[in-house]
Amino acid sequence: MPKILGIIGGGQLGMMLVEAAKSMPEHISKVIVLDPTENCPAAIAGAEQIVADFKDKNAIVELSLQSDIITYEIESGNSEVLESLKAPVSVNPSPATLRIIQDKFMQKTFLKENGIAVPDFLPIESLDDLKRKVGSFGYPILLKARRDAYDGRGNFKIENEGQIESAFRLFEGKHMMIEKWVDFKMEVSVIAARNTNDEIATYPVVENIHSENILETTIAPARIDSKIANDAEDIAKKTMEVLHGAGAFGIEMFVTHGNQVLINEIAPRVHNSGHHTLQSSDTSQFEQHLRAILGLPLGSTRLKHYAVMRNILGPKNFAGRYKPITIENQKGVYLKMYNKNEAKPQRKLGHINVIDVDDTRDIDALIDKAEKIRDSIKFEPLH
Ligand code: ATP
Ligand code: MG
């Protein structure tokens, strides 16, 4: 019997999950999303929608009554309410795992206790505590809000003593931690999945380039030697073994100059750095996530072709409705816009996948092509 899937969050990740679900009608008959924005991207893609806050208890319970399986595309869901939901509805990844991951300090403690390397970190209880502990790592250090951070908005880099107090004030009232600054040579990530039968699969490690804390470009595969790539994939597998629950996870890592691989953070959901899989891989991360939570055998994670994904962010000098975005038709180039009518500076509005369909393996040329296509896109107001 096909299942009804409930998703907490109906942004672009939910939208692409809905699209994947539509290609599996024998397994999923309907998708319902819970999202506060009316006509959210996932609803435009065909999901039914409950309009409510992600943490709204009544709305989550309502979603659970209408669904056979619940999953999420954001990590800020209400793990307590999710934990309290009763059978027959199942929630994956498990709410207990969500609870650990939601708090960066708990997450890093959990990883460290399981023998998985992370940057050095300490909890911060007060301004005095911060002043005392700041010296333990040497400048710069990162002050991080432990919860509800995204796109680097919960991070502040403290470069000297003079910045300690203002950094603390920025997150005052929130739980905080500090982290040693990692002078990494590359940021990489692995999309890993585990199904309800504990089968685990990892995608090849990819390289991520950020700009102003937001992912800009993903390069698949990462330009690192095979030894480091194997280490990263092994770390991802080990992480999946210790985390409970099924689903696709995005595991962000740093590669240090000494070739050590450290986990930066885990996203308990499909991840921006996995968007290339839509065309580059045997199985997209979205289908993989659905296979994982439905208890189906996981799909092949083989990279069919090298690929570069370039995010399309809202331009800095423009906000509001914009004319439809189009690009010239080219072999191996895929534009995906996210059904978001309103542009805002730095808002994720779409992405471009450039797939190496001719197998040139010329990554510089792929990056260059993606960059040129991005530059050709102009946002114009819609009157
Ligand atoms: P996201 O951008 O994935 O939504 P976020 O807001 O939760 O995540 P982090 O992933 O913690 O933030 O950090 C954002 C970026 O800041 C990282 O991708 C990395 O470039 C940089 N960063 C984070 N922690 C460190 C560190 N300890 N040392 C150096 N750079 C770091
Ligand atoms: Mg991150």
Side-chain angles (χ1 to χ4, degrees):
M1 269 287 280
K3 302 268 196 306
I4 298 176
L5 172 69
I7 308 178
I8 308 217
Q12 66 268 20
L13 302 179
M15 174 188 95
M16 290 183 269
L17 286 171
V18 169
E19 290 166 348
K22 278 193 192 163
S23 70
M24 306 164 78
E26 68 282 29
H27 300 293
I28 299 174
S29 56
K30 180 162 91 171
V31 184
I32 310 169
V33 297
L34 188 165
D35 194 283
T37 309
E38 247 175 278
N39 288 318
C40 63
I44 295 173
E48 284 183 16
Q49 183 178 0
I50 296 176
V51 181
D53 189 84
F54 305 123
K55 300 195 184 192
D56 182 326
K57 182 172 178 192
N58 293 334
I60 296 171
V61 170
E62 182 57 37
L63 182 68
S64 77
L65 294 174
Q66 293 184 32
S67 312
D68 299 306
I69 308 180
I70 287 192
T71 190
Y72 34 89
E73 59 122 48
I74 47 152
E75 50 264 56
S76 60
N78 190 330
S79 52
E80 276 121 63
V81 177
L82 290 172
E83 261 174 316
S84 73
L85 297 177
K86 301 270 182 310
V89 74
S90 62
V91 182
N92 266 307
S94 89
T97 293
L98 176 64
R99 190 158 43 78
I100 295 170
I101 290 180
Q102 276 176 337
D103 181 325
K104 289 184 175 181
F105 176 74
M106 276 172 60
Q107 183 190 136
K108 288 214 158 76
T109 305
F110 175 84
L111 290 170
K112 198 172 158 186
E113 283 172 1
N114 281 287
I116 297 170
V118 293
D120 287 334
F121 65 99
L122 287 169
I124 295 298
E125 309 297 346
S126 64
L127 179 57
D128 281 345
D129 194 32
L130 175 60
K131 284 181 181 159
R132 264 195 311 275
K133 287 176 176 163
V134 94
S136 14
F137 298 150
Y139 294 106
I141 60 158
L142 265 187
L143 180 67
K144 294 191 172 186
R146 284 168 51 169
R147 296 177 65 101
D148 296 335
Y150 67 99
D151 292 343
R153 284 174 219 205
N155 292 356
F156 190 95
K157 183 178 178 185
I158 305 179
E159 314 242 24
N160 56 57
E161 205 182 323
Q163 296 178 324
I164 296 178
E165 182 152 354
S166 52
F168 181 85
R169 299 286 173 227
L170 199 63
F171 304 131
E172 200 159 18
K174 294 186 177 164
H175 292 293
M176 299 175 221
M177 63 187 281
I178 51 169
E179 226 174 84
K180 189 166 176 173
W181 184 258
V182 180
D183 185 22
F184 53 79
K185 72 173 179 192
M186 191 184 283
E187 285 195 80
V188 298
S189 60
V190 173
I191 306 296
R194 169 182 169 139
N195 72 8
T196 51
N197 303 316
D198 296 333
E199 187 193 344
I200 292 171
T202 56
Y203 284 84
V205 59
V206 300
E207 173 180 345
N208 296 317
I209 300 169
H210 292 81
S211 168
E212 298 181 34
N213 277 310
I214 302 180
L215 182 66
E216 186 173 81
T217 304
T218 294
I219 299 159
R223 294 170 290 180
I224 46 171
D225 10 294
S226 56
K227 157 90 179 61
I228 309 170
N230 288 338
D231 285 351
E233 285 159 30
D234 285 348
I235 289 170
K237 280 198 191 91
K238 186 162 181 200
T239 305
M240 297 310 288
E241 281 162 14
V242 297
L243 282 177
H244 292 282
F249 290 69
I251 306 175
E252 302 175 8
M253 305 176 214
F254 298 129
V255 180
T256 68
H257 290 281
N259 291 335
Q260 204 195 354
V261 180
L262 305 172
I263 290 195
N264 168 37
E265 64 169 349
I266 302 169
R269 52 168 171 77
V270 285
H271 192 261
N272 196 167
S273 69
H275 292 356
H276 69 92
T277 60
L278 280 170
Q279 289 92 19
S280 69
S281 305
D282 280 344
T283 311
S284 81
Q285 63 165 347
F286 305 100
E287 178 182 336
Q288 191 77 310
H289 179 69
L290 298 177
R291 300 186 74 81
I293 61 175
L294 288 161
L296 297 171
L298 295 176
S300 156
T301 56
R302 183 181 66 107
L303 189 68
K304 290 187 287 190
H305 303 289
Y306 283 18
V308 168
M309 188 279 321
R310 176 67 163 83
N311 269 339
I312 301 171
L313 304 176
K316 288 194 175 157
N317 53 3
F318 178 80
R321 293 170 67 83
Y322 54 94
K323 288 188 184 156
I325 302 293
T326 52
I327 56 168
E328 197 189 310
N329 239 329
Q330 286 184 67
K331 197 167 100 183
V333 173
Y334 300 85
L335 169 73
K336 182 92 195 154
M337 296 302 293
Y338 298 155
N339 297 338
K340 296 179 183 175
N341 292 332
E342 298 249 342
K344 284 182 202 152
Q346 302 289 81
R347 185 178 195 200
K348 287 176 179 167
L349 297 172
H351 72 257
I352 303 153
N353 279 344
V354 176
I355 309 295
D356 187 20
V357 282
D358 294 326
D359 290 329
T360 63
R361 304 202 163 186
D362 184 345
I363 287 183
D364 287 338
L366 298 174
I367 297 173
D368 205 47
K369 194 166 169 183
E371 209 51 39
K372 285 213 175 77
I373 298 166
R374 171 64 192 93
D375 286 346
S376 75
I377 294 176
K378 302 275 180 273
F379 282 83
E380 287 167 340
L382 184 70
H383 295 296

